[in-house]
Amino acid sequence: MQHNDSSNKYLLMVEDTASVATLYRTYLTPLGIDINIVVNGHDAIESLNHRIPDLILLDLRLPDMTGMDVLEIVKKKHKDVPVIFMTAHGSIETAVEAMRLGAQDFLIKPCEADQLRITVNTAMRKAEKLKIDDGNPKNHRFIGSSQNMQSVYRVIDSAASSKASIFITGESGTGKEVCAEAIHAASNRRSNPFIAINCAAIPKDLIESELFGHVKGAFTGASTDRQGAAEMADGGTLFLDEICEMDLELQTKLLRFIQTGTFQKVGSSKMKSVDVRFVCATNRDPWTEVQEGRFREDLYYRLYVIPLHLPPLRERGEDIIEIAYSLLGFMSNEEGKEFNHLSPPVVERFISYEWPGNVRQLQNVLRNVVVLNSGKEITLDMLPPPINTAEASSNRHVITPSVNQESAADQFTESDILPLWESEKQTIEQAIEACEGNIPKAARHLEVSPSTLYRKLQSWEQRKEVN
């Protein structure tokens, strides 16, 4: 690696645990960026006099000062340098506070190799886009350490540098465009354009022009020549969102474009040649669309080279809280509010709720709360409908007794109804007792992460102390 080539991207890592710093350096080596590791805040600040980093990975706890102190000084000197905090799960609120004060995001330690590489690539590209666009990026990076997401990171990390088409599937609101941007940021095309086109949002008679462009006079209203998405994405990535909504006739033209790399603008007889990488997405089952005649089979095989499924939010466990805290930090900063904490009942509600709208719905809920309320802690009474009602909670993890359901209904009266947290507490305590006090084993049976159980036990202890 050329450590002194100033044309390389430069990352400053502020981490006082040598083993962690060495491990993370190894993880980041394939990116071909210059990495400078310092062990304290003073050295981090001093190093800014020699070279301004493209990204700072900053540990919250340092031997000579806090990460917050370093952030404050960095932001005074170089407000555009992106800072990502590295923190243990227990310090997540401090990390949110750091985002309120200008950090770009946080990363929960320990962090796997794929996730770290994707986070660094995405953060650097986001900072570059900010310089160009001079505004806030609309997308957040991928967040979450669940097993489901680790497999997503692995596919992105392995496939990003290839030219093979990637087909992203997942429910609406799971972050398919964020995923496509992460693929682009991790690829060797990252300095070239990422162009997204939503096949469902553009009227049928305009989509060909949006995709391939048109020449002046091609149709009524075509007063000038216009570049299409295919031409704008030359050298970069073309993201076709909701591709199963595309008209069959246009699918034929898209197939020809994918096979040859050439296309014609609407109204032109000239062929244009470009080099693009295709990433597409749908919230439908693409093979069902093929079988029902709505999607061309030959196009399916051309595009469905590397499938990538994004899990729904309800299957991502603790990730929900990590995403919520990241969004909270970002929105509090943007709206000038002080929120940095979710109350234990809100955490429980978020984890038990089904989230039919996935991450997009979580964004909307938090935006509603941050805009309409004030304070530092988000409480249950601030949540908008439908998540503010007890019925919104799922009883996914409640163990039901093995009795005849009809007789149980006969015996069960209004006086038997317990608050949801109490029945959940009973279930968890029974599971821990059945596993002879082994919390990780109980968590496996309950299909949640051990940290969920530890956090719930802690919140019940606090509730007991208050009462």
Side-chain angles (χ1 to χ4, degrees):
M1 241 175 77
Q2 322 139 317
H3 284 285
N4 297 316
D5 180 357
S6 60
S7 67
N8 282 358
K9 292 282 185 191
Y10 168 50
L11 181 139
L12 174 65
M13 192 187 307
V14 191
E15 171 59 70
D16 65 323
T17 308
S19 57
V20 172
T22 306
L23 182 66
Y24 284 3
R25 184 198 282 277
T26 310
Y27 286 172
L28 295 171
T29 299
L31 301 186
I33 57 178
D34 298 344
I35 300 168
N36 179 22
I37 296 170
V38 295
V39 297
N40 58 47
H42 176 269
D43 290 353
I45 292 154
E46 206 274 327
S47 76
L48 298 177
N49 298 323
H50 308 293
R51 188 174 174 189
I52 298 167
D54 294 287
L55 178 67
I56 300 175
L57 284 181
L58 177 59
D59 195 15
L60 260 178
R61 296 173 188 208
L62 298 167
D64 58 338
M65 58 177 86
T66 68
M68 297 291 265
D69 296 332
V70 177
L71 174 70
E72 196 179 336
I73 295 163
V74 167
K75 286 295 167 188
K76 271 183 192 160
K77 289 185 168 188
H78 307 285
K79 70 180 176 67
D80 294 332
V81 173
V83 177
I84 289 182
F85 267 85
M86 298 186 291
T87 175
H89 214 291
S91 309
I92 200 165
E93 285 162 36
T94 317
V96 173
E97 189 62 23
M99 284 183 71
R100 268 200 348 99
L101 301 174
Q104 192 182 88
D105 220 325
F106 61 82
L107 200 55
I108 301 287
K109 295 198 294 186
C111 185
E112 296 292 331
D114 310 309
Q115 186 180 359
L116 183 63
R117 284 195 286 267
I118 289 161
T119 298
V120 166
N121 274 326
T122 307
M124 284 181 168
R125 186 167 184 278
K126 192 151 87 170
E128 251 174 34
K129 274 181 76 179
L130 274 178
K131 284 178 201 164
I132 297 163
D133 301 344
D134 193 31
N136 282 318
K138 68 180 188 298
N139 284 328
H140 286 266
R141 68 169 180 87
F142 263 150
I143 299 163
S145 318
S146 62
Q147 285 306 308
N148 277 338
M149 284 308 292
Q150 293 301 337
S151 57
V152 169
Y153 299 137
R154 276 194 293 277
V155 173
I156 294 174
D157 197 44
S158 304
S161 57
S162 156
K163 202 194 166 183
S165 300
I166 295 183
F167 205 125
I168 306 165
T169 54
E171 292 177 11
S172 188
T174 46
K176 293 186 286 292
E177 186 168 345
V178 180
C179 180
E181 287 229 43
I183 291 163
H184 178 72
S187 75
N188 48 17
R189 296 168 171 261
R190 68 181 73 92
S191 53
N192 294 323
F194 171 87
I195 304 294
I197 183 165
N198 187 320
C199 304
I202 300 161
K204 184 182 157 185
D205 51 345
L206 289 180
I207 193 162
E208 185 177 357
S209 164
E210 287 289 324
L211 187 55
F212 297 127
H214 60 248
V215 294
K216 184 179 176 180
F219 49 83
T220 309
S223 53
T224 57
D225 283 9
R226 186 178 184 280
Q227 270 194 334
E231 198 172 352
M232 289 190 280
D234 193 12
T237 302
L238 178 59
F239 175 53
L240 301 168
D241 198 6
E242 302 303 350
I243 191 161
C244 288
E245 305 283 340
M246 187 180 277
D247 181 63
L248 277 166
E249 192 183 332
L250 187 54
Q251 287 179 32
T252 308
K253 292 179 180 176
L254 176 62
L255 178 65
R256 196 178 308 127
F257 171 42
I258 294 167
Q259 286 170 331
T260 64
T262 61
F263 64 93
Q264 286 172 299
K265 286 187 171 186
V266 176
S268 170
S269 56
K270 284 185 191 166
M271 298 299 285
K272 274 196 167 285
S273 179
V274 291
D275 166 31
V276 299
R277 200 267 178 92
F278 294 94
V279 178
C280 55
T282 182
N283 58 13
R284 300 184 182 184
D285 177 346
W287 184 242
T288 301
E289 296 301 299
V290 170
Q291 289 174 313
E292 296 187 1
R294 291 187 291 267
F295 197 69
R296 288 185 61 120
E297 188 171 355
D298 43 8
L299 182 58
Y300 170 85
Y301 286 121
R302 275 280 172 181
L303 290 172
Y304 203 83
V305 181
I306 298 168
L308 179 55
H309 181 69
L310 290 186
L313 194 54
R314 63 184 169 275
E315 290 175 12
R316 292 181 54 186
E318 288 282 293
D319 287 359
I320 294 167
I321 305 309
E322 209 175 309
I323 297 165
Y325 269 119
S326 177
L327 290 169
L328 188 60
F330 176 80
M331 289 171 183
S332 291
N333 174 294
E334 206 175 42
E335 300 289 345
K337 295 294 181 78
E338 296 186 342
F339 287 110
N340 66 0
H341 180 63
L342 304 175
S343 70
V346 167
V347 168
E348 286 178 30
R349 180 66 53 86
F350 276 14
I351 285 178
S352 63
Y353 184 60
E354 287 289 332
W355 296 108
N358 293 296
V359 179
R360 192 179 293 128
Q361 184 185 6
L362 177 58
Q363 280 179 319
N364 291 347
V365 164
L366 286 168
R367 177 72 72 183
N368 175 293
V369 170
V370 170
V371 169
L372 298 180
N373 298 276
S374 294
K376 292 198 169 186
E377 181 177 76
I378 291 180
T379 54
L380 271 181
D381 59 306
M382 295 178 183
L383 300 180
I387 193 173
N388 61 344
T389 60
E391 293 77 40
S393 293
S394 147
N395 59 356
R396 297 202 288 271
H397 305 313
V398 175
I399 297 170
T400 51
S402 55
V403 292
N404 178 285
Q405 281 189 327
E406 282 182 32
S407 62
D410 292 340
Q411 293 161 13
F412 196 81
T413 64
E414 197 176 327
S415 61
D416 296 316
I417 298 172
L418 286 174
L420 190 69
W421 73 268
E422 269 191 46
S423 57
E424 187 179 52
K425 183 171 182 279
Q426 275 183 17
T427 300
I428 288 172
E429 284 172 347
Q430 283 169 1
I432 292 170
E433 195 178 333
C435 295
E436 298 174 340
N438 185 328
I439 290 177
K441 190 176 175 184
R444 272 200 308 279
H445 284 293
L446 291 166
E447 295 180 10
V448 295
S449 68
S451 59
T452 299
L453 297 196
Y454 286 120
R455 188 176 35 70
K456 285 182 185 293
L457 292 167
Q458 189 181 356
S459 74
W460 293 325
E461 276 301 314
Q462 287 168 352
R463 195 186 286 246
K464 204 190 298 176
E465 284 166 20
V466 171
N467 296 336

